[in-house]
Amino acid sequence: MTNIFKDKVVLVTGHTGFKGTWLTTWLLELGAKVVGLSIDIPSTPSNFVALNLENRISHNIGDIRDITICKNIILNTLPDFIFHLAAQPIVTKSYQDPIFTFETNIIGTLNMLEALRISNHNCNAVFITSDKCYDNVEQVWGYKENDKVGGKDPYSASKGGAELVIRSYVESFFKDENSKVKIAVARAGNVIGGGDWALDRIVPDIFRAWANQNKVYIRNKYATRPWQHVLEPLSGYLLLAKELSILNLNNGEAFNFGPNADQNYSVEEILYMFKQNINDLKWDEDKSSIQKYEAKLLKLCCDKALHYLNWKPSLSINENIKMTANWYSTYYEGNIDMYQFTVSQIKYYIDLSQKIGNTWI
């Protein structure tokens, strides 16, 4: 990938979260001047803390539900690129606090768009939503970018709502010949990898339990997801931002970034794969939890990203699981520079991608 990020100001919202910390690290290695905006450090432990990112970037705490905060950070930094990841990302939490979820995911997105409309400076912005933005009828073929958005649970509905807001701003403001802002949308699904400690996610739950020599309790062992390593969609986001800055062709377009179609596995299958990489992993079903609606099957069609961006995933499911297990095992061993270890995994991913012919990276 041609390095267009060197010495550029790049704003990452949600930079303290799981995806945000990995993206921030990758951008730093590309020589970018990273500005981060997040409401808080979302977990303890925290990948943001483990990688010592506060001392490597311009770190800002603020709530994207506040339009003034969004305006100020964009007008004060005039970023060349924006990756908008800030969100309430947990399905179970969306049931516990639906208002916060809708406000963060819809109003927060609206505020970022409005701040960009006001600044109208040369900026390439990638807004990250979710594969759950689609109106999921649990079809066996993958959803395409022009399929209907929606969602039954509050999280999915909030992501579908964010998509509608983005579409409105693109058509109303950012396709105008006087607009200096270009927008693209990225949709990705279940991502795993080291450094995720969010609650009610299977991989963090696995390693929290394993580190404490406990069983991990799972809600639905038959739930099937398109598992991919966090670096896969991030490579797509970076590529999309680069292409957006070069061509007007992708302005206003949405792209799916998911694993190969044969990488849909059940939670139980993933557990057995992790068991091959770490010793003494034990699990059981959580029969006490009240089951709220959550999609059991969700797949993306990524043909558009392949055709227009020449993007395709690089990792097999076994490589994905191995990289993830190695990251957590290294962390829990202690006395390791986790920033440098994380960088080493990014470099490994780049090398592997190039060896299998993914020349875009």
Side-chain angles (χ1 to χ4, degrees):
M1 183 188 296
T2 303
N3 185 4
I4 60 162
F5 298 102
K6 184 174 174 56
D7 297 325
K8 296 295 195 301
V9 177
V10 183
L11 172 61
V12 179
T13 71
H15 69 294
T16 60
F18 172 45
K19 275 188 182 178
T21 52
W22 277 89
L23 179 59
T24 295
T25 302
W26 199 337
L27 285 165
L28 287 172
E29 290 305 299
L30 290 171
K33 301 173 183 176
V34 181
V35 178
L37 174 65
S38 291
I39 191 172
D40 57 19
I41 296 174
S43 63
T44 303
S46 158
N47 202 34
F48 182 75
V49 174
L51 305 188
N52 191 28
L53 291 178
E54 184 172 355
N55 294 318
R56 302 177 190 272
I57 67 169
S58 172
H59 168 56
N60 300 273
I61 292 294
D63 190 340
I64 59 169
R65 295 178 298 168
D66 186 334
I67 182 63
T68 301
I69 287 173
C70 296
K71 287 179 183 177
N72 286 345
I73 198 157
I74 288 177
L75 291 171
N76 290 339
T77 62
L78 296 177
D80 301 290
F81 294 91
I82 294 176
F83 294 92
H84 177 56
L85 286 81
Q88 193 299 95
I90 307 297
V91 173
T92 52
K93 187 174 179 180
S94 77
Y95 281 107
Q96 297 161 5
D97 197 344
I99 291 177
F100 177 75
T101 301
F102 280 107
E103 287 180 344
T104 302
N105 296 351
I106 298 178
I107 301 302
T109 298
L110 173 62
N111 287 342
M112 291 297 297
L113 291 163
E114 177 64 5
L116 276 169
R117 184 186 72 84
I118 292 169
S119 73
N120 195 30
H121 71 286
N122 290 318
C123 184
N124 306 284
V126 177
F127 279 67
I128 287 83
T129 60
S130 170
D131 63 346
K132 290 186 173 65
C133 72
Y134 292 108
D135 184 20
N136 187 10
V137 294
E138 305 205 7
Q139 62 193 28
V140 295
W141 53 89
Y143 289 92
K144 296 182 178 180
E145 288 82 353
N146 58 356
D147 280 335
K148 180 181 176 183
V149 299
K152 297 181 180 69
D153 61 272
Y155 172 75
S156 301
S158 73
K159 286 299 186 178
E163 290 275 353
L164 295 176
V165 171
I166 296 167
R167 173 57 46 198
S168 173
Y169 263 71
V170 165
E171 297 296 333
S172 301
F173 307 114
F174 299 131
K175 283 194 173 179
D176 187 279
E177 62 181 12
N178 296 316
S179 175
K180 298 177 182 178
V181 176
K182 290 190 281 186
I183 301 282
V185 176
R187 302 165 181 167
N190 255 41
V191 294
I192 65 175
D196 186 5
W197 279 286
L199 296 174
D200 294 325
R201 280 187 185 153
I202 182 61
V203 172
D205 287 348
I206 285 172
F207 284 95
R208 268 190 296 266
W210 172 76
N212 291 297
Q213 298 181 320
N214 294 327
K215 285 184 179 179
V216 59
Y217 288 91
I218 56 175
R219 295 193 303 275
N220 184 354
K221 65 182 180 180
Y222 301 113
T224 301
R225 292 289 182 269
W227 308 90
Q228 61 181 329
H229 193 274
V230 62
L231 291 176
E232 299 271 46
L234 293 188
S235 69
Y237 302 168
L238 291 168
L239 177 61
L240 179 55
K242 186 198 83 169
E243 294 297 323
L244 190 63
S245 71
I246 297 170
L247 297 172
N248 207 44
L249 177 68
N250 298 319
N251 187 24
E253 293 294 315
F255 290 86
N256 290 336
F257 298 102
N260 291 318
D262 62 354
Q263 292 209 149
N264 272 40
Y265 294 89
S266 71
V267 168
E268 185 174 45
E269 288 172 315
I270 290 296
L271 285 163
Y272 277 109
M273 290 181 197
F274 272 115
K275 189 175 178 64
Q276 293 174 3
N277 287 271
I278 55 175
N279 296 323
D280 302 322
L281 176 61
K282 299 169 288 188
W283 63 87
D284 203 347
E285 290 188 80
D286 183 0
K287 298 177 181 178
S288 65
S289 65
I290 299 173
Q291 294 294 316
K292 297 286 189 178
Y293 172 81
E294 188 170 359
K296 296 178 178 62
L297 176 64
L298 187 55
K299 295 174 69 174
L300 293 178
C301 173
C302 301
D303 291 350
K304 184 177 178 181
L306 176 62
H307 180 76
Y308 287 101
L309 304 175
N310 197 31
W311 180 90
K312 58 186 177 185
S314 299
L315 298 177
S316 69
I317 188 65
N318 289 328
E319 289 161 338
N320 181 352
I321 297 293
K322 183 177 179 180
M323 285 179 67
T324 301
N326 284 348
W327 195 101
Y328 282 104
S329 298
T330 302
Y331 173 82
Y332 282 112
E333 285 173 9
N335 301 316
I336 301 291
D337 185 333
M338 291 309 298
Y339 180 86
Q340 291 303 325
F341 186 81
T342 300
V343 168
S344 74
Q345 288 206 330
I346 293 172
K347 290 179 177 177
Y348 171 80
Y349 173 78
I350 293 170
D351 290 343
L352 184 64
S353 298
Q354 292 173 337
K355 284 177 182 176
I356 66 171
N358 280 350
T359 56
W360 47 263
I361 196 165

